[in-house]
Amino acid sequence: VQLQASGGGLVQAGGSLRLSCAASGRTFSRYVMGWFRQAPGKEREFVGAISWSGSYTYYVDSVKGRFTISRDNAKNTVSLQMNSLKPEDTAVYYCAARTRSSASIYYLNPPDYDYWGQGTEVTVSS
């Protein structure tokens, strides 16, 4: 599985960005997909996850109501819509795929995922 994240950039506080993650593989629709971020000097942090069908999503409290994850299984893509961005959202954002059997979407730690994209940088200026 190969993941390619894109869509990062520089945006002013209060603005929006949409990140995309394109995945290879014929079984993409079976994967739980997650988004993580890593700010300079900090550990990689869970942002949110989406079920294989797209019916269920889960977010870290700090982004609830501002970020939305969606997926298009026909196109093998997952997206992260980020609104009302804050300077503290500045980080490199990574998409990740969990290809192991998944009983839920509550996989909050990096070792829970099997494949990672290369990351896309988001900078929010104040």
Side-chain angles (χ1 to χ4, degrees):
V1 177
Q2 291 186 325
L3 303 174
Q4 181 75 35
S6 61
L10 173 64
V11 63
Q12 289 188 331
S16 298
L17 276 177
R18 185 177 181 88
L19 306 184
S20 294
C21 178
S24 65
R26 292 176 294 178
T27 56
F28 172 79
S29 62
R30 301 180 187 176
Y31 307 156
V32 169
M33 296 297 296
W35 284 95
F36 286 75
R37 65 186 180 185
Q38 189 165 17
K42 295 188 177 181
E43 294 186 351
R44 194 165 296 190
E45 174 191 32
F46 173 81
V47 173
I50 188 166
S51 64
W52 62 270
S53 67
S55 299
Y56 301 98
T57 54
Y58 179 77
Y59 304 94
V60 68
D61 285 348
S62 59
V63 308
K64 282 181 182 177
R66 301 188 298 121
F67 289 13
T68 303
I69 299 174
S70 60
R71 67 189 295 162
D72 185 337
N73 286 339
K75 297 182 178 179
N76 280 17
T77 59
V78 61
S79 299
L80 177 65
Q81 177 67 42
M82 305 186 294
N83 299 328
S84 302
L85 282 161
K86 305 175 181 180
E88 51 263 43
D89 294 319
T90 294
V92 177
Y93 283 72
Y94 299 89
C95 59
R98 178 181 167 89
T99 59
R100 285 167 274 168
S101 176
S102 302
S104 73
I105 63 168
Y106 302 110
Y107 300 104
L108 312 185
N109 299 301
D112 293 330
Y113 293 81
D114 304 295
Y115 295 92
W116 293 82
Q118 85 288 2
T120 185
E121 188 168 3
V122 172
T123 303
V124 185
S125 63
S126 57

